Amino acid sequence: TGLTANTNYNVKVTTNYRGGTKESPLVAFTTQAASAPCSNGMDVVFILDYTGSMGNEIDAIKTDMASLVTTIDTSSGSNNYRIGIVTADEDAGTSSVPAYNACTDYTSLPLSQRIINTGTGHRQFITAWEMFSDNNGATATTQINKLNGGVGGGPCIQLGTGNGLPEPTDMALGQVIESSAFVGAFRASVAKYVIIITDAHPGGQDDVFDGTDVARLTSLTTTANNAGIKVFVLGPGVNLTYDPGDGSGLQYPWRDIATNTGGSWNVSETPTTISNEITSGCTPPSP
């Protein structure tokens, strides 16, 4: 008990007998992942960095959202999937509401789907545009098409500012996979995917990337593993590094959480790449 899923451990046995002690050699092992096969059904959450540099990426996803839904539907064994859509935005603190606060499509969302964090001087806006519901590809497509001034929302729901780098995508991830269950609770015994699209470091609640954010991603990795949630990170953000300053070398925080949860990462965030990563993640490794 007390072990974490999908994690490497070393074990040894120490024997004490008649005043003598003997230790066995260390034996390495990896605990099993808690993830379920995609054919059991799929719960998939898209977390989109919704800041000024992400317009082209979001438009591409809007254009090919139907193909992404088809990939998820097919991988789930057909008609056994749920989709959530979340955006992560930020402001320097001059405004306590997002730039799209006058948009009816935003203000009509329940308050529980609109997080406005005002406690640090930097305002984070985490929005659940689509909640989990059964086979909701059509409504998920409708909601994502409203983003970046798209149809339905008219020119209203424009990208947020972001206040430079980094961005609160890690804050959104915590809201999705921890007890707050921002888009609804994940189902038991189905494949659980979180797909993060970003070109920036994670910034938490203070718009600063440092060791605190790396530690937060480590904590979220444990949470994801124990819940059987695979995290996929796509976009230039996967190439950004962290130097702990202890001589151990550069770390890649976004790559690490993807790899260590059984997901994957890719610098490309095209819809084709996203579909390929979903399909590859659903394919069991060769024995």
Side-chain angles (χ1 to χ4, degrees), residues 1-277:
T1 62
L3 302 184
T4 299
N6 196 36
T7 301
N8 297 324
Y9 290 94
N10 292 290
V11 64
K12 66 180 179 181
V13 175
T14 300
T15 303
N16 295 304
Y17 181 68
R18 292 186 176 181
T21 299
K22 183 72 173 179
E23 290 186 351
S24 72
L26 280 172
V27 176
F29 71 98
T30 302
T31 51
Q32 286 188 322
S35 55
C38 295
S39 56
N40 282 16
M42 297 185 71
D43 286 352
V44 182
V45 182
F46 292 90
I47 296 178
L48 307 178
D49 177 344
Y50 198 60
T51 58
S53 59
M54 293 294 293
N56 290 337
E57 291 80 1
I58 289 172
D59 282 346
I61 292 172
K62 287 161 55 177
T63 298
D64 282 339
M65 187 63 184
S67 67
L68 290 173
V69 171
T70 297
T71 296
I72 294 168
D73 185 15
T74 302
S75 299
S76 73
S78 184
N79 292 321
N80 189 10
Y81 69 89
R82 304 189 307 172
I83 294 174
I85 298 173
V86 174
T87 57
D89 178 23
E90 193 162 41
D91 189 82
T94 55
S95 174
S96 60
V97 294
Y100 35 88
N101 191 61
C103 302
T104 301
D105 285 296
Y106 174 75
T107 57
S108 63
L109 294 173
L111 287 174
S112 60
Q113 294 175 224
R114 293 182 280 141
I115 294 175
I116 299 179
N117 180 58
T118 59
T120 64
H122 294 264
R123 316 304 198 201
Q124 288 82 34
F125 311 116
I126 313 299
T127 307
W129 297 93
E130 178 74 5
M131 302 290 286
F132 279 149
S133 64
D134 292 344
N135 307 315
N136 59 332
T139 56
T141 300
T142 295
Q143 289 300 92
I144 209 164
N145 280 338
K146 296 176 182 179
L147 301 181
N148 197 26
V151 297
C156 195
I157 307 176
Q158 298 294 342
L159 292 173
T161 61
N163 190 37
L165 300 175
E167 310 300 357
T169 39
D170 54 335
M171 182 179 175
L173 176 60
Q175 291 293 331
V176 167
I177 72 173
E178 293 180 326
S179 59
S180 48
F182 192 42
V183 296
F186 285 90
R187 292 177 292 173
S189 302
V190 303
K192 307 169 184 68
Y193 281 17
V194 175
I195 299 171
I196 299 172
I197 314 295
T198 185
D199 61 359
H201 275 121
Q205 300 185 43
D206 58 5
D207 201 25
V208 174
F209 171 73
D210 55 24
T212 299
D213 301 288
V214 175
R216 175 62 171 151
L217 287 185
T218 300
S219 173
L220 290 171
T221 297
T222 299
T223 299
N225 278 329
N226 286 336
I229 298 169
K230 294 182 179 182
V231 178
F232 298 75
V233 187
L234 298 98
V238 302
N239 283 339
L240 300 177
T241 60
Y242 170 68
D243 186 351
D246 58 4
S248 60
L250 294 178
Q251 300 174 11
Y252 291 82
W254 281 130
R255 296 186 188 185
D256 288 344
I257 191 172
T259 301
N260 292 335
T261 58
S264 60
W265 57 269
N266 200 307
V267 70
S268 170
E269 70 278 83
T270 66
T272 298
T273 302
I274 297 170
S275 286
N276 289 340
E277 296 296 337

